[in-house]
Amino acid sequence: MMVTKEFIEGLPKTELHLHIEGSLEPEQMFEFAKRNKVDLPFADVEEIRAAYQFSELQDFLDIYYQGMGVLLTEQDFYDLTWAYLKKVHSQNVIHVEIFFDPQGHTERGVPFDTVINGIYQALMDGEKKLGISFHLIMSFLRHLSEEDGFKTLEEALPHKDKIKAVGLDSSELGHPPSKFERLYARCREEGFLTVAHAGEEGPPEYVIEALDLLKIDRIDHGNRSLEDEALTIRIAKSGLALTVCPLSNYKLAGVTDMSRHPIRKMLDKGLKATVNSDDPAYFGGYMNENYMAIVDALKLSRDDVATLAKNGVEATFCTEAEKEKMMDQLESYLSK
Ligand code: ADE
Ligand code: ZN
């Protein structure tokens, strides 16, 4: 049966790879800049959108860090997160596991507490008022030192109850997982689950390091794992999930034609691939748009979409009972 836009829109979805700072829409950027009296190097929203032309990850990151410079107060972080939750609620997203980049803010003098309190309060309100359950993932910036990561971990410990997992993002090439082996060991001792961006731009060896040295519980992106057959088999056997971000890959990671997006191959190889939006304000779409992009280009069937959505439930960091509840909701939709 053909997969329609309406089918995707109604599908109960989870989002497991979303940088909250990457949900900052140009309109919001202007609004926050105005209220915080921050100068922006853009005259209007059109100029901002026109600047979103990236040929690689670093091009995007430069603009992403500049953009988040308008976020200063707890209210800003609350409003940013709340706007994201309202948006994905309208897309039938039922559970989110979102990243935040504390070092992108503490580096600019914004206190860690300001950042996490604003985000967390919005997530709590989203759970209560919109019915969206959540986990929060604190991401370390890999272009900074491991020592810097340790400092950030110290700041996070008083908020341990709010953080489910830690992650690793920013410029991948030249900053392999091995750089953070000790930091991740400490994080695991503190009881955090772990994930890491790996194989987005970096080679399969970085994915192997993330597995062996960081002992991650889920792989963010992981696309380049496919270049290594033994690694692909290993990941498939392990059941570890990949949080794949189709529109992000199209904008940044060398997928020049969506009909060549690797998610089809991932499913064929038995990898637990999921669909996510990464930085929706920068890459042209939230969850529905990401699903539609691959459905159209790869001619995915309803069964393929059902597999991706089920993977999205199984790959969450929820309890078995919580997963079962989400799976029931999904099954009930699929059987209609
Ligand atoms: N930070 C925000 N989005 C990112 C991405 N796609 N890769 C690495 N770091 C990021
Ligand atoms: Zn990402």
Side-chain angles (χ1 to χ4, degrees), residues 17-19 99 169 197 200 220-221 243 245 248 278-279 283:
H17 185 149
L18 177 283
H19 303 265
F99 297 112
D169 63 5
H197 284 52
E200 179 186 19
D220 293 319
H221 295 291
T243 62
C245 308
S248 167
D278 209 2
D279 302 282
F283 303 147

Side-chain angles (χ1 to χ4, degrees), residues 3 12 68 77 122 159 163 179 184 198 214 228 231 248 288 300 307-309 312 319 327 336:
V3 179
M68 70 172 77
F77 288 95
H159 298 278
I163 301 169
K179 182 175 165 187
Y184 264 63
L214 306 187
D228 180 332
L231 174 61
S248 167
N288 288 346
L300 298 185
T307 299
L308 289 166
T319 63
M327 202 61 98
K336 265 190 266 163

Side-chain angles (χ1 to χ4, degrees), residues 62-74:
D62 293 342
I63 284 205
Y64 168 78
Y65 293 122
Q66 183 181 56
M68 70 172 77
V70 302
L71 301 166
L72 294 182
T73 66
E74 191 170 315

Side-chain angles (χ1 to χ4, degrees), residues 260-302:
R260 283 203 278 266
H261 192 279
I263 202 161
R264 164 86 272 163
K265 193 167 169 198
M266 289 172 177
L267 291 179
D268 293 344
K269 297 261 177 192
L271 296 179
K272 191 176 279 184
T274 64
V275 179
N276 309 275
S277 73
D278 209 2
D279 302 282
Y282 291 89
F283 303 147
Y286 289 77
M287 288 297 289
N288 288 346
E289 292 79 15
N290 272 278
Y291 265 100
M292 280 318 293
I294 50 171
V295 162
D296 287 344
L298 300 171
K299 309 269 176 288
L300 298 185
S301 67
R302 264 197 195 214

